[in-house]
Amino acid sequence: MGFEFAGATDIGRKRDHNEDALLLLSEHNVAVVWDGMGGHEAGEVASGIGVETVRRFFEIAGDPDATWPFRYDRTKDEGTNLLVVAAQWANQRIREAADPGAAVPGKRGMGTTFVGCLVREKKAWFGWVGDSRGYVWRRGELHPATSDHSLLNALIKTGRLSEEEIANFQHKNVITRALGMADQTEVDVAAFDLEPGDVCLVCCDGLTGMVSEERSAEIVAQDADLDGACRKLIEEANENGGADNITVALVRVAA
């Protein structure tokens, strides 16, 4: 199968700088979205380190003589290993940069979410840490591929919240997992079989908080040009308030 990649990022309507980051590696069939966090533009530093690290990892991962920065888990497939090790290495480098003795001062506590999509042949892997999301669009419908690492989602899973309580929850932006949050990070990975015409979507909460899944599915369906679809998704988020930075990547399977 062939794949087409597109992506875009935007500052939004309310922020004074963009702490998101976007990485498209079409030569390695990878798309990653980052949503940085931390004061004094530390989030921008964290997401930038993530981009640099993951780019470097996929460059060396294809070299049979290269040494991986973390152990390869032979109980898991290669797609899972690639995303897990890439995220773990990024986590390590962000932690090192946030150390009080590091060359870049004032970045203690910085971090970033991570959601990556890796496509090969007839399969997609989504790896994530935090509340940035992945979806598979198929025949007009958007199917979730990730599950938020957030306080709200943790409470929803307990079944203790009513629909009204979920809608009015005051701490929707509190995440329970992020790169840079701890020395070791757990990376969740989900794999999906692909069909011709499918579109994989990865994005930050600057999109999902402003545009419904139903509307996002409509936009992807309406625009055959992936770059145009990315622009329209961002435009819609901004029209609905643009409360945060907005970043989205799309990967289409050749029909």
Side-chain angles (χ1 to χ4, degrees):
M1 283 186 174
F3 301 98
E4 178 185 355
F5 286 74
T9 186
D10 187 81
I11 194 172
R13 297 278 177 88
K14 305 294 185 182
R15 306 291 187 177
D16 60 8
H17 64 285
N18 193 347
E19 293 191 317
D20 285 359
L22 170 68
L23 177 63
L24 298 179
L25 296 174
S26 58
E27 66 273 28
H28 299 293
N29 288 340
V30 178
V32 186
V33 166
W34 317 77
D35 183 354
M37 56 192 181
H40 307 291
E41 301 183 7
E44 185 176 346
V45 174
S47 60
I49 292 171
V51 166
E52 174 191 340
T53 305
V54 172
R55 183 192 306 277
R56 176 60 181 150
F57 172 70
F58 277 97
E59 287 174 353
I60 69 170
D63 181 354
D65 297 322
T67 300
W68 284 31
F70 287 85
R71 183 178 61 85
Y72 188 101
D73 187 343
R74 298 191 180 280
T75 68
K76 298 175 181 177
D77 61 26
E78 185 177 13
T80 298
N81 271 286
L82 286 166
L83 288 172
V84 168
V85 174
Q88 286 177 333
W89 194 17
N91 181 74
Q92 181 186 68
R93 293 202 58 221
I94 291 166
R95 292 287 289 178
E96 290 169 352
D99 186 275
V104 183
K107 305 307 179 186
R108 188 172 184 177
M110 69 179 177
T112 181
T113 68
F114 164 92
V115 60
C117 176
L118 169 68
V119 289
R120 292 197 172 176
E121 297 180 355
K122 298 181 179 180
K123 198 165 187 175
W125 290 263
F126 292 85
W128 73 99
V129 181
D131 63 351
S132 291
R133 296 181 181 176
Y135 297 89
V136 175
W137 179 93
R138 178 174 293 165
R139 292 188 288 274
E141 294 185 357
L142 209 57
H143 304 276
T146 62
S147 178
D148 293 353
H149 299 138
S150 67
L151 176 60
L152 175 58
N153 200 38
L155 292 173
I156 289 173
K157 288 179 178 179
T158 68
R160 297 175 184 174
L161 296 183
S162 67
E163 291 296 327
E164 183 179 356
E165 288 173 324
I166 293 171
N168 297 318
F169 193 71
Q170 296 298 308
H171 306 288
K172 292 182 178 179
N173 63 335
V174 176
I175 59 176
T176 57
R177 206 185 299 177
L179 300 188
M181 188 178 286
D183 287 339
Q184 299 293 327
T185 190
E186 183 180 354
V187 185
D188 284 349
V189 178
F192 293 81
D193 292 328
L194 295 174
E195 298 179 4
D198 284 352
V199 178
C200 299
L201 183 157
V202 288
C203 65
C204 66
D205 64 350
L207 177 67
T208 56
M210 295 284 104
V211 184
S212 70
E213 293 176 357
E214 292 77 14
R215 179 58 184 150
S216 292
E218 290 175 358
I219 292 171
V220 174
Q222 290 168 359
D223 202 323
D225 175 57
L226 286 192
D227 288 310
C230 288
R231 289 193 299 270
K232 288 181 181 177
L233 286 165
I234 288 174
E235 288 170 4
E236 185 102 359
N238 277 324
E239 288 171 3
N240 292 342
D244 202 350
N245 308 143
I246 312 151
T247 305
V248 60
L250 299 174
V251 182
R252 182 162 56 207
V253 184

